[in-house]
Amino acid sequence: MNARDAGAGSAPPRDPLSRLEELARALRCLPGVGPKAAQRMALHLLQHDRDGAQRLAQALVDATRTVRHCERCNTFTEATLCALCQSNKRDATQLCVVETPADLLMVEQTQAYSGLYFVLMGRLSPLDGIGPKEIRLERLLQRASDGVVREVILATNFTNEGEATAHYLGELLAARELRVTRLARGVPVGGELEYVDAGTLAQALRERRNMGSEP
């Protein structure tokens, strides 16, 4: 059998993705964006707002190069420490533990809390391979045990994973003779802080409850 016959049954080579297809595929990394939505976004940028596309591309490049994690609270910042950790107007005896930077911003919008934060960047989810290491557990324990913190407010979401994370963290922190509290049930069960209105979240902060014995 010659080379011509050997190649007759093989699949034809596939064309590489076009730039438009590459753009649409890249946009699919955004949450809630499927193939059709990504394609519409790509076509809109190229057809109606090329200047906006250039600004978006440059902003993404700049952010990925300069934004890092705060060495103290783990949120996003461009400096070694974020503005909240650098502020001398915050109550350093209180530490609010949240899942994401978006949750931190939501708590700040309530104007009902003046302490500091620690951002887990996730929650415990063994089925997804997210364990204590992935939520920076050791960093949290070191931060909470600095001799200044007196109360740790567990403000993880009221999902199954968030509740399990709060329970796990609460036991570890209470064992270090810290006052451990949990957001009150003003936040709806199954809700996520990013989507809760500021009034409800402010009430939940005021009515937080103990988790574990008082130090």
Side-chain angles (χ1 to χ4, degrees):
M1 182 170 60
N2 56 35
R4 181 179 177 181
D5 294 334
S10 61
R14 298 181 62 183
D15 293 332
L17 292 177
S18 69
R19 299 299 186 195
L20 176 59
E21 291 172 325
E22 288 182 353
L23 174 58
R25 177 169 291 187
L27 289 168
R28 288 175 61 183
C29 73
L30 297 171
V33 177
K36 291 184 177 179
Q39 185 180 60
R40 286 195 298 270
M41 290 180 184
L43 291 171
H44 171 80
L45 289 171
L46 295 177
Q47 183 175 355
H48 299 292
D49 196 1
R50 290 196 173 224
D51 289 341
Q54 292 283 358
R55 291 193 300 271
L56 174 61
Q58 188 60 52
L60 285 170
V61 170
D62 292 342
T64 54
R65 286 177 177 172
T66 61
V67 175
R68 65 182 77 176
H69 290 287
C70 173
E71 290 188 356
R72 196 173 186 195
C73 73
N74 204 42
T75 194
F76 290 132
T77 181
E78 294 184 35
T80 303
L81 294 178
C82 70
L84 291 174
C85 287
Q86 293 184 54
S87 174
N88 57 11
K89 297 181 180 179
R90 310 293 297 197
D91 183 356
T93 67
Q94 290 185 322
L95 187 67
C96 182
V97 180
V98 296
E99 292 182 17
T100 68
D103 294 339
L104 184 157
L105 294 175
M106 281 299 302
V107 175
E108 279 295 286
Q109 287 177 23
T110 69
Q111 298 184 359
Y113 177 70
S114 60
L116 295 171
Y117 295 90
F118 188 87
V119 181
L120 299 172
M121 293 293 174
R123 61 239 179 149
L124 292 174
S125 182
L127 294 178
D128 297 321
I130 301 175
K133 180 179 180 181
E134 284 70 30
I135 62 170
R136 285 78 171 177
L137 175 61
E138 288 301 320
R139 286 187 59 187
L140 169 60
L141 296 179
Q142 291 175 4
R143 175 73 181 85
S145 304
D146 64 359
V148 178
V149 174
R150 293 289 178 267
E151 178 187 7
V152 179
I153 303 169
L154 298 176
T156 54
N157 291 314
F158 283 86
T159 59
N160 290 336
E161 294 87 353
E163 289 279 33
T165 302
H167 180 75
Y168 181 73
L169 296 179
E171 290 187 338
L172 293 176
L173 292 164
R176 286 163 170 75
E177 299 185 347
L178 292 163
R179 182 188 181 206
V180 182
T181 57
R182 178 80 167 116
L183 287 186
R185 289 286 181 171
V187 177
V189 175
E192 296 186 6
L193 297 187
E194 185 178 358
Y195 304 107
V196 175
D197 67 275
T200 299
L201 190 52
Q203 185 69 21
L205 277 167
R206 286 189 289 267
E207 297 184 1
R208 62 187 182 271
R209 58 184 171 81
N210 287 324
M211 293 186 67
S213 58
E214 291 284 344

mmCIF file with all atom_site columns, all heavy atoms in Angstrom, residues 84 87-96 107-108 110-117 153 205 208:
data_model
loop_
_atom_site.group_PDB
_atom_site.id
_atom_site.type_symbol
_atom_site.label_atom_id
_atom_site.label_alt_id
_atom_site.label_comp_id
_atom_site.label_asym_id
_atom_site.label_entity_id
_atom_site.label_seq_id
_atom_site.pdbx_PDB_ins_code
_atom_site.Cartn_x
_atom_site.Cartn_y
_atom_site.Cartn_z
_atom_site.occupancy
_atom_site.B_iso_or_equiv
_atom_site.pdbx_formal_charge
_atom_site.auth_seq_id
_atom_site.auth_comp_id
_atom_site.auth_asym_id
_atom_site.auth_atom_id
_atom_site.pdbx_PDB_model_num
ATOM 1   N N   . LEU A 1 84  ? -6.982  48.616 53.535 1.00 0.00 ? 84  LEU A N   1
ATOM 2   C CA  . LEU A 1 84  ? -7.640  48.334 54.804 1.00 0.00 ? 84  LEU A CA  1
ATOM 3   C C   . LEU A 1 84  ? -6.633  47.883 55.861 1.00 0.00 ? 84  LEU A C   1
ATOM 4   O O   . LEU A 1 84  ? -6.703  48.310 57.016 1.00 0.00 ? 84  LEU A O   1
ATOM 5   C CB  . LEU A 1 84  ? -8.716  47.263 54.613 1.00 0.00 ? 84  LEU A CB  1
ATOM 6   C CG  . LEU A 1 84  ? -9.946  47.677 53.804 1.00 0.00 ? 84  LEU A CG  1
ATOM 7   C CD1 . LEU A 1 84  ? -10.858 46.471 53.576 1.00 0.00 ? 84  LEU A CD1 1
ATOM 8   C CD2 . LEU A 1 84  ? -10.709 48.786 54.501 1.00 0.00 ? 84  LEU A CD2 1
ATOM 9   N N   . SER A 1 87  ? -4.660  50.821 57.213 1.00 0.00 ? 87  SER A N   1
ATOM 10  C CA  . SER A 1 87  ? -5.391  51.875 57.909 1.00 0.00 ? 87  SER A CA  1
ATOM 11  C C   . SER A 1 87  ? -5.260  51.736 59.418 1.00 0.00 ? 87  SER A C   1
ATOM 12  O O   . SER A 1 87  ? -5.400  50.640 59.969 1.00 0.00 ? 87  SER A O   1
ATOM 13  C CB  . SER A 1 87  ? -6.869  51.836 57.518 1.00 0.00 ? 87  SER A CB  1
ATOM 14  O OG  . SER A 1 87  ? -7.614  52.760 58.286 1.00 0.00 ? 87  SER A OG  1
ATOM 15  N N   . ASN A 1 88  ? -5.024  52.856 60.101 1.00 0.00 ? 88  ASN A N   1
ATOM 16  C CA  . ASN A 1 88  ? -4.977  52.854 61.564 1.00 0.00 ? 88  ASN A CA  1
ATOM 17  C C   . ASN A 1 88  ? -6.333  53.182 62.168 1.00 0.00 ? 88  ASN A C   1
ATOM 18  O O   . ASN A 1 88  ? -6.454  53.364 63.379 1.00 0.00 ? 88  ASN A O   1
ATOM 19  C CB  . ASN A 1 88  ? -3.916  53.838 62.081 1.00 0.00 ? 88  ASN A CB  1
ATOM 20  C CG  . ASN A 1 88  ? -4.142  55.256 61.571 1.00 0.00 ? 88  ASN A CG  1
ATOM 21  O OD1 . ASN A 1 88  ? -5.188  55.569 60.999 1.00 0.00 ? 88  ASN A OD1 1
ATOM 22  N ND2 . ASN A 1 88  ? -3.155  56.119 61.774 1.00 0.00 ? 88  ASN A ND2 1
ATOM 23  N N   . LYS A 1 89  ? -7.368  53.289 61.323 1.00 0.00 ? 89  LYS A N   1
ATOM 24  C CA  . LYS A 1 89  ? -8.719  53.574 61.794 1.00 0.00 ? 89  LYS A CA  1
ATOM 25  C C   . LYS A 1 89  ? -9.558  52.306 61.971 1.00 0.00 ? 89  LYS A C   1
ATOM 26  O O   . LYS A 1 89  ? -10.692 52.378 62.425 1.00 0.00 ? 89  LYS A O   1
ATOM 27  C CB  . LYS A 1 89  ? -9.425  54.518 60.822 1.00 0.00 ? 89  LYS A CB  1
ATOM 28  C CG  . LYS A 1 89  ? -8.754  55.889 60.701 1.00 0.00 ? 89  LYS A CG  1
ATOM 29  C CD  . LYS A 1 89  ? -9.528  56.782 59.735 1.00 0.00 ? 89  LYS A CD  1
ATOM 30  C CE  . LYS A 1 89  ? -8.862  58.150 59.619 1.00 0.00 ? 89  LYS A CE  1
ATOM 31  N NZ  . LYS A 1 89  ? -9.592  59.041 58.669 1.00 0.00 ? 89  LYS A NZ  1
ATOM 32  N N   . ARG A 1 90  ? -9.000  51.160 61.607 1.00 0.00 ? 90  ARG A N   1
ATOM 33  C CA  . ARG A 1 90  ? -9.736  49.900 61.729 1.00 0.00 ? 90  ARG A CA  1
ATOM 34  C C   . ARG A 1 90  ? -9.515  49.287 63.112 1.00 0.00 ? 90  ARG A C   1
ATOM 35  O O   . ARG A 1 90  ? -8.475  49.479 63.740 1.00 0.00 ? 90  ARG A O   1
ATOM 36  C CB  . ARG A 1 90  ? -9.297  48.915 60.648 1.00 0.00 ? 90  ARG A CB  1
ATOM 37  C CG  . ARG A 1 90  ? -9.283  49.446 59.237 1.00 0.00 ? 90  ARG A CG  1
ATOM 38  C CD  . ARG A 1 90  ? -10.645 49.778 58.704 1.00 0.00 ? 90  ARG A CD  1
ATOM 39  N NE  . ARG A 1 90  ? -11.540 48.637 58.596 1.00 0.00 ? 90  ARG A NE  1
ATOM 40  C CZ  . ARG A 1 90  ? -12.652 48.646 57.856 1.00 0.00 ? 90  ARG A CZ  1
ATOM 41  N NH1 . ARG A 1 90  ? -13.002 49.732 57.174 1.00 0.00 ? 90  ARG A NH1 1
ATOM 42  N NH2 . ARG A 1 90  ? -13.439 47.583 57.810 1.00 0.00 ? 90  ARG A NH2 1
ATOM 43  N N   . ASP A 1 91  ? -10.503 48.530 63.574 1.00 0.00 ? 91  ASP A N   1
ATOM 44  C CA  . ASP A 1 91  ? -10.420 47.841 64.860 1.00 0.00 ? 91  ASP A CA  1
ATOM 45  C C   . ASP A 1 91  ? -9.659  46.529 64.659 1.00 0.00 ? 91  ASP A C   1
ATOM 46  O O   . ASP A 1 91  ? -10.211 45.552 64.140 1.00 0.00 ? 91  ASP A O   1
ATOM 47  C CB  . ASP A 1 91  ? -11.828 47.576 65.392 1.00 0.00 ? 91  ASP A CB  1
ATOM 48  C CG  . ASP A 1 91  ? -11.818 46.915 66.766 1.00 0.00 ? 91  ASP A CG  1
ATOM 49  O OD1 . ASP A 1 91  ? -10.729 46.588 67.270 1.00 0.00 ? 91  ASP A OD1 1
ATOM 50  O OD2 . ASP A 1 91  ? -12.913 46.704 67.323 1.00 0.00 ? 91  ASP A OD2 1
ATOM 51  N N   . ALA A 1 92  ? -8.418  46.504 65.106 1.00 0.00 ? 92  ALA A N   1
ATOM 52  C CA  . ALA A 1 92  ? -7.561  45.340 64.870 1.00 0.00 ? 92  ALA A CA  1
ATOM 53  C C   . ALA A 1 92  ? -7.910  44.157 65.756 1.00 0.00 ? 92  ALA A C   1
ATOM 54  O O   . ALA A 1 92  ? -7.372  43.064 65.559 1.00 0.00 ? 92  ALA A O   1
ATOM 55  C CB  . ALA A 1 92  ? -6.100  45.721 65.083 1.00 0.00 ? 92  ALA A CB  1
ATOM 56  N N   . THR A 1 93  ? -8.818  44.343 66.715 1.00 0.00 ? 93  THR A N   1
ATOM 57  C CA  . THR A 1 93  ? -9.191  43.228 67.582 1.00 0.00 ? 93  THR A CA  1
ATOM 58  C C   . THR A 1 93  ? -10.258 42.345 66.952 1.00 0.00 ? 93  THR A C   1
ATOM 59  O O   . THR A 1 93  ? -10.543 41.263 67.467 1.00 0.00 ? 93  THR A O   1
ATOM 60  C CB  . THR A 1 93  ? -9.721  43.736 68.943 1.00 0.00 ? 93  THR A CB  1
ATOM 61  O OG1 . THR A 1 93  ? -10.963 44.433 68.745 1.00 0.00 ? 93  THR A OG1 1
ATOM 62  C CG2 . THR A 1 93  ? -8.703  44.662 69.600 1.00 0.00 ? 93  THR A CG2 1
ATOM 63  N N   . GLN A 1 94  ? -10.858 42.795 65.838 1.00 0.00 ? 94  GLN A N   1
ATOM 64  C CA  . GLN A 1 94  ? -11.871 42.013 65.144 1.00 0.00 ? 94  GLN A CA  1
ATOM 65  C C   . GLN A 1 94  ? -11.358 41.577 63.782 1.00 0.00 ? 94  GLN A C   1
ATOM 66  O O   . GLN A 1 94  ? -10.761 42.373 63.059 1.00 0.00 ? 94  GLN A O   1
ATOM 67  C CB  . GLN A 1 94  ? -13.154 42.826 64.958 1.00 0.00 ? 94  GLN A CB  1
ATOM 68  C CG  . GLN A 1 94  ? -13.926 43.083 66.242 1.00 0.00 ? 94  GLN A CG  1
ATOM 69  C CD  . GLN A 1 94  ? -15.240 43.785 65.968 1.00 0.00 ? 94  GLN A CD  1
ATOM 70  O OE1 . GLN A 1 94  ? -15.337 44.647 65.106 1.00 0.00 ? 94  GLN A OE1 1
ATOM 71  N NE2 . GLN A 1 94  ? -16.275 43.410 66.708 1.00 0.00 ? 94  GLN A NE2 1
ATOM 72  N N   . LEU A 1 95  ? -11.606 40.323 63.454 1.00 0.00 ? 95  LEU A N   1
ATOM 73  C CA  . LEU A 1 95  ? -11.184 39.770 62.170 1.00 0.00 ? 95  LEU A CA  1
ATOM 74  C C   . LEU A 1 95  ? -12.377 39.076 61.523 1.00 0.00 ? 95  LEU A C   1
ATOM 75  O O   . LEU A 1 95  ? -12.919 38.112 62.071 1.00 0.00 ? 95  LEU A O   1
ATOM 76  C CB  . LEU A 1 95  ? -10.037 38.774 62.360 1.00 0.00 ? 95  LEU A CB  1
ATOM 77  C CG  . LEU A 1 95  ? -9.384  38.225 61.094 1.00 0.00 ? 95  LEU A CG  1
ATOM 78  C CD1 . LEU A 1 95  ? -8.633  39.334 60.359 1.00 0.00 ? 95  LEU A CD1 1
ATOM 79  C CD2 . LEU A 1 95  ? -8.442  37.078 61.419 1.00 0.00 ? 95  LEU A CD2 1
ATOM 80  N N   . CYS A 1 96  ? -12.792 39.567 60.379 1.00 0.00 ? 96  CYS A N   1
ATOM 81  C CA  . CYS A 1 96  ? -13.930 39.004 59.657 1.00 0.00 ? 96  CYS A CA  1
ATOM 82  C C   . CYS A 1 96  ? -13.413 38.105 58.535 1.00 0.00 ? 96  CYS A C   1
ATOM 83  O O   . CYS A 1 96  ? -12.645 38.555 57.674 1.00 0.00 ? 96  CYS A O   1
ATOM 84  C CB  . CYS A 1 96  ? -14.791 40.130 59.088 1.00 0.00 ? 96  CYS A CB  1
ATOM 85  S SG  . CYS A 1 96  ? -16.276 39.569 58.225 1.00 0.00 ? 96  CYS A SG  1
ATOM 86  N N   . VAL A 1 107 ? -19.503 43.452 52.675 1.00 0.00 ? 107 VAL A N   1
ATOM 87  C CA  . VAL A 1 107 ? -19.491 43.776 54.103 1.00 0.00 ? 107 VAL A CA  1
ATOM 88  C C   . VAL A 1 107 ? -19.120 45.240 54.305 1.00 0.00 ? 107 VAL A C   1
ATOM 89  O O   . VAL A 1 107 ? -19.722 45.943 55.128 1.00 0.00 ? 107 VAL A O   1
ATOM 90  C CB  . VAL A 1 107 ? -18.525 42.852 54.868 1.00 0.00 ? 107 VAL A CB  1
ATOM 91  C CG1 . VAL A 1 107 ? -18.435 43.269 56.336 1.00 0.00 ? 107 VAL A CG1 1
ATOM 92  C CG2 . VAL A 1 107 ? -18.978 41.402 54.779 1.00 0.00 ? 107 VAL A CG2 1
ATOM 93  N N   . GLU A 1 108 ? -18.151 45.721 53.551 1.00 0.00 ? 108 GLU A N   1
ATOM 94  C CA  . GLU A 1 108 ? -17.750 47.126 53.665 1.00 0.00 ? 108 GLU A CA  1
ATOM 95  C C   . GLU A 1 108 ? -18.896 48.067 53.314 1.00 0.00 ? 108 GLU A C   1
ATOM 96  O O   . GLU A 1 108 ? -19.068 49.121 53.931 1.00 0.00 ? 108 GLU A O   1
ATOM 97  C CB  . GLU A 1 108 ? -16.550 47.409 52.748 1.00 0.00 ? 108 GLU A CB  1
ATOM 98  C CG  . GLU A 1 108 ? -15.218 47.001 53.329 1.00 0.00 ? 108 GLU A CG  1
ATOM 99  C CD  . GLU A 1 108 ? -14.865 47.805 54.571 1.00 0.00 ? 108 GLU A CD  1
ATOM 100 O OE1 . GLU A 1 108 ? -14.499 48.984 54.439 1.00 0.00 ? 108 GLU A OE1 1
ATOM 101 O OE2 . GLU A 1 108 ? -14.988 47.247 55.677 1.00 0.00 ? 108 GLU A OE2 1
ATOM 102 N N   . THR A 1 110 ? -21.937 47.787 53.964 1.00 0.00 ? 110 THR A N   1
ATOM 103 C CA  . THR A 1 110 ? -22.918 47.919 55.043 1.00 0.00 ? 110 THR A CA  1
ATOM 104 C C   . THR A 1 110 ? -22.564 49.055 55.994 1.00 0.00 ? 110 THR A C   1
ATOM 105 O O   . THR A 1 110 ? -23.434 49.575 56.691 1.00 0.00 ? 110 THR A O   1
ATOM 106 C CB  . THR A 1 110 ? -22.997 46.626 55.874 1.00 0.00 ? 110 THR A CB  1
ATOM 107 O OG1 . THR A 1 110 ? -21.788 46.442 56.632 1.00 0.00 ? 110 THR A OG1 1
ATOM 108 C CG2 . THR A 1 110 ? -23.238 45.416 54.986 1.00 0.00 ? 110 THR A CG2 1
ATOM 109 N N   . GLN A 1 111 ? -21.283 49.428 56.055 1.00 0.00 ? 111 GLN A N   1
ATOM 110 C CA  . GLN A 1 111 ? -20.788 50.443 56.999 1.00 0.00 ? 111 GLN A CA  1
ATOM 111 C C   . GLN A 1 111 ? -21.132 50.070 58.445 1.00 0.00 ? 111 GLN A C   1
ATOM 112 O O   . GLN A 1 111 ? -21.256 50.943 59.309 1.00 0.00 ? 111 GLN A O   1
ATOM 113 C CB  . GLN A 1 111 ? -21.344 51.826 56.657 1.00 0.00 ? 111 GLN A CB  1
ATOM 114 C CG  . GLN A 1 111 ? -20.927 52.309 55.281 1.00 0.00 ? 111 GLN A CG  1
ATOM 115 C CD  . GLN A 1 111 ? -21.399 53.730 54.985 1.00 0.00 ? 111 GLN A CD  1
ATOM 116 O OE1 . GLN A 1 111 ? -22.063 54.376 55.793 1.00 0.00 ? 111 GLN A OE1 1
ATOM 117 N NE2 . GLN A 1 111 ? -21.049 54.231 53.805 1.00 0.00 ? 111 GLN A NE2 1
ATOM 118 N N   . ALA A 1 112 ? -21.286 48.774 58.701 1.00 0.00 ? 112 ALA A N   1
ATOM 119 C CA  . ALA A 1 112 ? -21.615 48.287 60.041 1.00 0.00 ? 112 ALA A CA  1
ATOM 120 C C   . ALA A 1 112 ? -20.435 47.581 60.694 1.00 0.00 ? 112 ALA A C   1
ATOM 121 O O   . ALA A 1 112 ? -20.557 47.090 61.820 1.00 0.00 ? 112 ALA A O   1
ATOM 122 C CB  . ALA A 1 112 ? -22.810 47.331 59.971 1.00 0.00 ? 112 ALA A CB  1
ATOM 123 N N   . TYR A 1 113 ? -19.311 47.539 60.006 1.00 0.00 ? 113 TYR A N   1
ATOM 124 C CA  . TYR A 1 113 ? -18.148 46.806 60.506 1.00 0.00 ? 113 TYR A CA  1
ATOM 125 C C   . TYR A 1 113 ? -16.905 47.645 60.290 1.00 0.00 ? 113 TYR A C   1
ATOM 126 O O   . TYR A 1 113 ? -16.694 48.186 59.199 1.00 0.00 ? 113 TYR A O   1
ATOM 127 C CB  . TYR A 1 113 ? -18.018 45.467 59.767 1.00 0.00 ? 113 TYR A CB  1
ATOM 128 C CG  . TYR A 1 113 ? -16.798 44.665 60.151 1.00 0.00 ? 113 TYR A CG  1
ATOM 129 C CD1 . TYR A 1 113 ? -16.709 44.071 61.397 1.00 0.00 ? 113 TYR A CD1 1
ATOM 130 C CD2 . TYR A 1 113 ? -15.735 44.511 59.269 1.00 0.00 ? 113 TYR A CD2 1
ATOM 131 C CE1 . TYR A 1 113 ? -15.594 43.335 61.764 1.00 0.00 ? 113 TYR A CE1 1
ATOM 132 C CE2 . TYR A 1 113 ? -14.614 43.772 59.616 1.00 0.00 ? 113 TYR A CE2 1
ATOM 133 C CZ  . TYR A 1 113 ? -14.544 43.188 60.861 1.00 0.00 ? 113 TYR A CZ  1
ATOM 134 O OH  . TYR A 1 113 ? -13.439 42.475 61.220 1.00 0.00 ? 113 TYR A OH  1
ATOM 135 N N   . SER A 1 114 ? -16.072 47.741 61.325 1.00 0.00 ? 114 SER A N   1
ATOM 136 C CA  . SER A 1 114 ? -14.866 48.576 61.240 1.00 0.00 ? 114 SER A CA  1
ATOM 137 C C   . SER A 1 114 ? -13.598 47.798 61.551 1.00 0.00 ? 114 SER A C   1
ATOM 138 O O   . SER A 1 114 ? -12.542 48.387 61.769 1.00 0.00 ? 114 SER A O   1
ATOM 139 C CB  . SER A 1 114 ? -14.984 49.768 62.199 1.00 0.00 ? 114 SER A CB  1
ATOM 140 O OG  . SER A 1 114 ? -15.134 49.312 63.543 1.00 0.00 ? 114 SER A OG  1
ATOM 141 N N   . GLY A 1 115 ? -13.697 46.471 61.583 1.00 0.00 ? 115 GLY A N   1
ATOM 142 C CA  . GLY A 1 115 ? -12.517 45.665 61.864 1.00 0.00 ? 115 GLY A CA  1
ATOM 143 C C   . GLY A 1 115 ? -11.738 45.328 60.609 1.00 0.00 ? 115 GLY A C   1
ATOM 144 O O   . GLY A 1 115 ? -11.881 45.980 59.573 1.00 0.00 ? 115 GLY A O   1
ATOM 145 N N   . LEU A 1 116 ? -10.919 44.287 60.699 1.00 0.00 ? 116 LEU A N   1
ATOM 146 C CA  . LEU A 1 116 ? -10.094 43.850 59.583 1.00 0.00 ? 116 LEU A CA  1
ATOM 147 C C   . LEU A 1 116 ? -10.638 42.539 59.023 1.00 0.00 ? 116 LEU A C   1
ATOM 148 O O   . LEU A 1 116 ? -11.615 41.990 59.531 1.00 0.00 ? 116 LEU A O   1
ATOM 149 C CB  . LEU A 1 116 ? -8.641  43.701 60.032 1.00 0.00 ? 116 LEU A CB  1
ATOM 150 C CG  . LEU A 1 116 ? -7.973  45.007 60.459 1.00 0.00 ? 116 LEU A CG  1
ATOM 151 C CD1 . LEU A 1 116 ? -6.609  44.748 61.085 1.00 0.00 ? 116 LEU A CD1 1
ATOM 152 C CD2 . LEU A 1 116 ? -7.838  45.971 59.277 1.00 0.00 ? 116 LEU A CD2 1
ATOM 153 N N   . TYR A 1 117 ? -9.999  42.038 57.972 1.00 0.00 ? 117 TYR A N   1
ATOM 154 C CA  . TYR A 1 117 ? -10.523 40.888 57.222 1.00 0.00 ? 117 TYR A CA  1
ATOM 155 C C   . TYR A 1 117 ? -9.453  39.830 56.992 1.00 0.00 ? 117 TYR A C   1
ATOM 156 O O   . TYR A 1 117 ? -8.256  40.089 57.052 1.00 0.00 ? 117 TYR A O   1
ATOM 157 C CB  . TYR A 1 117 ? -11.032 41.337 55.849 1.00 0.00 ? 117 TYR A CB  1
ATOM 158 C CG  . TYR A 1 117 ? -12.219 42.254 55.876 1.00 0.00 ? 117 TYR A CG  1
ATOM 159 C CD1 . TYR A 1 117 ? -12.048 43.634 55.924 1.00 0.00 ? 117 TYR A CD1 1
ATOM 160 C CD2 . TYR A 1 117 ? -13.527 41.756 55.846 1.00 0.00 ? 117 TYR A CD2 1
ATOM 161 C CE1 . TYR A 1 117 ? -13.131 44.500 55.945 1.00 0.00 ? 117 TYR A CE1 1
ATOM 162 C CE2 . TYR A 1 117 ? -14.610 42.603 55.853 1.00 0.00 ? 117 TYR A CE2 1
ATOM 163 C CZ  . TYR A 1 117 ? -14.406 43.977 55.903 1.00 0.00 ? 117 TYR A CZ  1
ATOM 164 O OH  . TYR A 1 117 ? -15.486 44.824 55.926 1.00 0.00 ? 117 TYR A OH  1
ATOM 165 N N   . ILE A 1 153 ? -15.009 36.780 63.262 1.00 0.00 ? 153 ILE A N   1
ATOM 166 C CA  . ILE A 1 153 ? -16.369 36.699 62.748 1.00 0.00 ? 153 ILE A CA  1
ATOM 167 C C   . ILE A 1 153 ? -16.351 35.838 61.489 1.00 0.00 ? 153 ILE A C   1
ATOM 168 O O   . ILE A 1 153 ? -15.714 36.202 60.495 1.00 0.00 ? 153 ILE A O   1
ATOM 169 C CB  . ILE A 1 153 ? -16.914 38.100 62.410 1.00 0.00 ? 153 ILE A CB  1
ATOM 170 C CG1 . ILE A 1 153 ? -16.852 38.999 63.647 1.00 0.00 ? 153 ILE A CG1 1
ATOM 171 C CG2 . ILE A 1 153 ? -18.343 38.006 61.880 1.00 0.00 ? 153 ILE A CG2 1
ATOM 172 C CD1 . ILE A 1 153 ? -17.109 40.458 63.333 1.00 0.00 ? 153 ILE A CD1 1
ATOM 173 N N   . LEU A 1 205 ? -24.675 41.185 60.694 1.00 0.00 ? 205 LEU A N   1
ATOM 174 C CA  . LEU A 1 205 ? -23.450 41.491 61.431 1.00 0.00 ? 205 LEU A CA  1
ATOM 175 C C   . LEU A 1 205 ? -23.763 41.869 62.878 1.00 0.00 ? 205 LEU A C   1
ATOM 176 O O   . LEU A 1 205 ? -23.077 41.443 63.804 1.00 0.00 ? 205 LEU A O   1
ATOM 177 C CB  . LEU A 1 205 ? -22.695 42.635 60.748 1.00 0.00 ? 205 LEU A CB  1
ATOM 178 C CG  . LEU A 1 205 ? -21.800 42.252 59.574 1.00 0.00 ? 205 LEU A CG  1
ATOM 179 C CD1 . LEU A 1 205 ? -21.382 43.492 58.798 1.00 0.00 ? 205 LEU A CD1 1
ATOM 180 C CD2 . LEU A 1 205 ? -20.560 41.506 60.069 1.00 0.00 ? 205 LEU A CD2 1
ATOM 181 N N   . ARG A 1 208 ? -24.690 38.676 65.060 1.00 0.00 ? 208 ARG A N   1
ATOM 182 C CA  . ARG A 1 208 ? -23.819 37.504 64.983 1.00 0.00 ? 208 ARG A CA  1
ATOM 183 C C   . ARG A 1 208 ? -23.849 36.749 66.308 1.00 0.00 ? 208 ARG A C   1
ATOM 184 O O   . ARG A 1 208 ? -24.074 37.318 67.372 1.00 0.00 ? 208 ARG A O   1
ATOM 185 C CB  . ARG A 1 208 ? -22.398 37.903 64.600 1.00 0.00 ? 208 ARG A CB  1
ATOM 186 C CG  . ARG A 1 208 ? -21.718 38.829 65.590 1.00 0.00 ? 208 ARG A CG  1
ATOM 187 C CD  . ARG A 1 208 ? -20.384 39.286 65.034 1.00 0.00 ? 208 ARG A CD  1
ATOM 188 N NE  . ARG A 1 208 ? -19.684 40.145 65.966 1.00 0.00 ? 208 ARG A NE  1
ATOM 189 C CZ  . ARG A 1 208 ? -19.814 41.469 66.017 1.00 0.00 ? 208 ARG A CZ  1
ATOM 190 N NH1 . ARG A 1 208 ? -20.645 42.082 65.211 1.00 0.00 ? 208 ARG A NH1 1
ATOM 191 N NH2 . ARG A 1 208 ? -19.126 42.173 66.900 1.00 0.00 ? 208 ARG A NH2 1
#
